[in-house]
Amino acid sequence: SQQGEEDPQALSIQEGENATMNCSYKTSINNLQWYRQNSGRGLVHLILIRSNEREKHSGRLRVTLDTSKKSSSLLITASRAADTASYFCATAPMDSSYKLIFGSGTRLLVRP
Amino acid sequence: DSGVTQTPKHLITATGQRVTLRCSPRSGDLSVYWYQQSLDQGLQFLIQYYNGEERAKGNILERFSAQQFPDLHSELNLSSLELGDSALYFCASSGRERGDPEAFFGQGTRLTVV
């Protein structure tokens, strides 16, 4: 079963708006990562947040992690049409941190 | 370019056949992961190898097997193929044993079983 579940499944916004995606997971984790996938292509790593961190920034990306609620959010500010892609959260479970477990993804469409 | 190479890019084969997917990890990476991505199942973790040894197993069917060779490249073997095995198969690599660092993904092999 999936460790992470993203919400919403699909998001459509206007260029310049902010996009927020949420991820919930089930077990204790070492870290949580966000990836981006353009249609039919490989996933690209965006950002990693460790279990002892609460917030992290990278360019227009902001990630938060709430381990008590087992949830994370990815905020993309000032979105661009080129941000159109699917976004996945991935967790490295504490009991088996050899594997990365991916959520079902959020499909983001940024309209020009 | 992630540095992870997967071959072939596309594969069309008939039910009941066997295929081998190949992955060359990023230079220096010891861990290789295999994932299956289909429309109805999303991105499913199959198996992970670290320096030639199997380290973690996901929802990998018994008809599927994998190995990592001394030169660290990996192969995923799919046998007795069924229509439902049609999917994108991704290989990813990372540098260390544990899942801390980022995983670098190849462009995938699109398998179509007819």
Side-chain angles (χ1 to χ4, degrees):
Chain A
S1 63
Q2 298 282 22
Q3 160 76 319
E5 293 295 331
E6 279 94 336
D7 162 54
Q9 288 187 335
L11 181 60
S12 178
I13 59 173
Q14 203 71 36
E15 203 165 28
E17 294 180 340
N18 295 341
T20 299
M21 288 158 266
N22 302 297
C23 168
S24 60
Y25 56 91
K26 297 174 184 173
T27 64
S28 297
I29 59 172
N30 280 311
N31 65 75
L32 186 144
Q33 304 176 36
W34 284 90
Y35 287 78
R36 165 196 167 124
Q37 182 183 33
N38 284 34
S39 180
R41 300 183 66 81
L43 282 75
V44 175
H45 181 267
L46 295 176
I47 194 166
L48 178 152
I49 186 165
R50 300 188 187 279
S51 58
N52 60 353
E53 297 175 313
R54 291 296 166 257
E55 188 171 312
K56 204 159 183 181
H57 296 255
S58 177
R60 294 184 295 112
L61 305 180
R62 173 179 165 249
V63 170
T64 62
L65 179 65
D66 186 335
T67 53
S68 66
K69 294 181 180 176
K70 292 188 170 56
S71 68
S72 172
S73 68
L74 171 68
L75 169 68
I76 304 174
T77 59
S79 63
R80 305 165 181 167
D83 294 329
T84 294
S86 290
Y87 292 82
F88 295 85
C89 69
T91 52
M94 191 80 77
D95 62 346
S96 181
S97 53
Y98 300 114
K99 51 184 172 181
L100 274 179
I101 307 296
F102 285 81
S104 49
T106 292
R107 292 188 310 280
L108 173 65
L109 171 65
V110 181
R111 305 186 304 275
Chain B
D1 181 9
S2 67
V4 178
T5 303
Q6 288 188 249
T7 56
K9 287 187 170 54
H10 301 276
L11 198 49
I12 301 175
T13 190
T15 54
Q17 295 297 304
R18 172 190 169 94
V19 297
T20 297
L21 313 184
R22 194 178 193 278
C23 169
S24 294
R26 211 172 55 119
S27 178
D29 283 355
L30 298 177
S31 275
V32 169
Y33 306 78
W34 284 98
Y35 289 86
Q36 178 194 57
Q37 186 177 37
S38 59
L39 282 174
D40 56 344
Q41 293 289 320
L43 200 63
Q44 296 282 330
F45 169 74
L46 296 178
I47 198 162
Q48 187 227 357
Y49 282 83
Y50 175 78
N51 203 20
E53 291 186 11
E54 180 186 308
R55 283 305 175 95
K57 218 166 185 176
N59 298 323
I60 187 166
L61 299 172
E62 285 191 12
R63 299 184 286 110
F64 296 180
S65 65
Q67 53 184 327
Q68 187 179 27
F69 295 88
D71 66 353
L72 301 177
H73 91 270
S74 178
E75 292 182 355
L76 178 67
N77 300 296
L78 314 176
S79 61
S80 303
L81 285 167
E82 302 174 358
L83 295 177
D85 297 326
S86 295
L88 262 173
Y89 291 84
F90 286 107
C91 167
S93 72
S94 66
R96 293 202 310 255
E97 181 169 335
R98 294 194 172 270
D100 279 348
E102 64 184 277
F104 294 85
F105 278 77
Q107 291 302 306
T109 293
R110 183 174 293 280
L111 173 67
T112 303
V113 182
V114 296

